[in-house]
Amino acid sequence: MSYVSTGMRPVDFSVCQYGQSRFLLRGKRVRTDRPYWVCIGGANTYAEDIVTPFTTQLERHFKVPIINMGIAHSGPDAVMGDSDLMALVARAERVIIEAPSCVNHSNRYYKVHPRRNDRFIRPMPDLVRLYPEIDFTDCHFTKHLLCKLLLCDQERFQIIQDDLQNSWMDKMRTLIAWAGGAILWSAPRGRTTNEIDDMLGVMPSDLAQLGQHVTFTQPLGHRGTGLSQKAHDTIGQKLVQMLDDAARRGQ
C-alpha cells in the first residue's frame, strides 16, 4: 500500500523504490555502489508541490546524488521499520534528517501504522489501564487520540507526554547511531491553533540533546500547507554553508 500518489501531481517528477521497500521515494533511482547522501524527513522533505526541493540544491552544489527519503505522515518508525531503507541509511556518506513528529510513532501507550505513522491502530494495555473510561474505537489518528486524552485529564496526559518525548529521543538516537551521525533540521511553526502541536512539537532544545544540528525557524505558511519554494531555497543555502564550514574544519 502506497501513500504517494502516482497520478497527476502539481509538480512533475519521477518516483522510485529500493529493494523490497513499499515506499515510493521522490526522484530517480540513485546508484548505491557509489557515494551518495540520504535526506530523511516527512512531507517537507518529499516536497510534492516544490519544483526545486532543497535536496536538489544540495545535489547540484556538492555534485553528489541524494536519495530523497521524504515520507508523508511519517514519524521515526517509517524509515526505522523498513530494513531496505535502513540499509541505505547505513551506507550513506552523509545523512540529513528533518526532525520527525514526536506524536507519530509507536510507544508503550499506543500503536501506529508502520508506514502511515499518523494512523492510530490500537491502544496498548498501559493506556487502557491509565484511561479506563475512554472508548478508543472512534480514534483513527494520533492527534485525535491525544486531544481526547488531554481533554479527559491533563494530569494523566502529562505521563503520556513525557513518555512520548523520551521514546522519540531514544528512537532518534538509534537512527543517528545507525547512520553514523547526522545533520538535523526543523522548521518550527511557533504558536499554532492545535494544542497538541504546541505541547509536543519538536523544539530546538530537543535537537540540541541529539548532538550536531542546525535549526530553521521559517514559518510553514498557512495551516495545512508545507514549506514554500523560498523556504526550500533558504534551507538549501543554510545546509550548504554549514556543510562547507564543516569540510573546512575537516569534519
Side-chain angles (χ1 to χ4, degrees):
M1 184 174 184
S2 170
Y3 297 104
V4 175
S5 171
T6 56
M8 294 294 293
R9 290 185 293 258
V11 176
D12 185 34
F13 55 82
S14 301
V15 294
C16 65
Q17 291 173 282
Y18 292 86
Q20 300 301 310
S21 175
R22 297 173 71 177
F23 288 111
L24 295 174
L25 304 183
R26 176 172 180 168
K28 295 181 179 179
R29 189 180 174 91
V30 169
R31 288 189 58 172
T32 58
D33 57 346
R34 301 173 180 177
Y36 65 90
W37 294 7
V38 165
C39 288
I40 299 172
N44 290 324
T45 297
Y46 186 81
E48 183 174 17
D49 297 339
I50 302 300
V51 175
T52 310
F54 70 88
T55 51
T56 300
Q57 298 174 53
L58 294 178
E59 279 188 325
R60 292 173 178 173
H61 182 84
F62 292 105
K63 307 288 191 294
V64 60
I66 291 179
I67 297 175
N68 184 330
M69 214 172 276
I71 300 170
H73 315 294
S74 66
D77 290 359
V79 170
M80 293 180 69
D82 189 306
S83 59
D84 289 286
L85 296 189
M86 286 295 278
L88 294 173
V89 171
R91 295 196 301 267
E93 190 175 60
R94 277 198 181 273
V95 177
I96 298 168
I97 302 175
E98 173 196 355
S101 167
C102 187
V103 169
N104 297 337
H105 68 275
S106 292
N107 53 82
R108 63 177 291 193
Y109 292 105
Y110 58 85
K111 181 82 171 174
V112 303
H113 191 281
R115 294 182 301 281
R116 172 96 187 223
N117 295 164
D118 64 336
R119 293 274 189 178
F120 168 70
I121 299 300
R122 66 177 180 271
M124 302 299 282
D126 283 345
L127 184 58
V128 176
R129 284 192 290 268
L130 187 62
Y131 283 91
E133 71 274 37
I134 287 190
D135 179 2
F136 299 101
T137 56
D138 67 337
C139 295
H140 303 293
F141 293 92
T142 54
K143 286 185 181 179
H144 180 199
L145 167 71
L146 292 171
C147 284
K148 194 169 187 175
L149 299 179
L150 178 63
L151 287 172
C152 178
D153 188 299
Q154 293 191 11
E155 186 173 341
R156 281 180 285 173
F157 183 81
Q158 184 64 52
I159 298 172
I160 304 293
Q161 180 177 350
D162 291 344
D163 186 77
L164 280 175
Q165 291 170 330
N166 290 335
S167 59
W168 180 90
M169 197 69 68
D170 288 342
K171 289 183 178 183
M172 289 302 299
R173 289 193 177 106
T174 299
L175 178 59
I176 291 168
W178 188 270
I183 307 299
L184 304 178
W185 68 274
S186 67
R189 289 179 180 269
R191 196 69 180 172
T192 73
T193 58
N194 187 307
E195 194 168 4
I196 297 301
D197 284 339
D198 294 335
M199 297 178 72
L200 285 164
V202 177
M203 303 300 292
S205 58
D206 298 320
L207 301 185
Q209 296 182 55
L210 295 171
Q212 185 183 22
H213 69 279
V214 57
T215 302
F216 300 99
T217 57
Q218 306 90 314
L220 295 182
H222 298 294
R223 182 172 177 76
T225 65
L227 293 172
S228 66
Q229 181 66 68
K230 182 178 180 181
H232 272 265
D233 292 343
T234 302
I235 290 170
Q237 292 163 9
K238 289 190 175 182
L239 284 171
V240 164
Q241 181 181 0
M242 192 202 70
L243 290 165
D244 280 342
D245 290 344
R248 283 192 289 270
R249 296 193 301 267
Q251 297 178 348

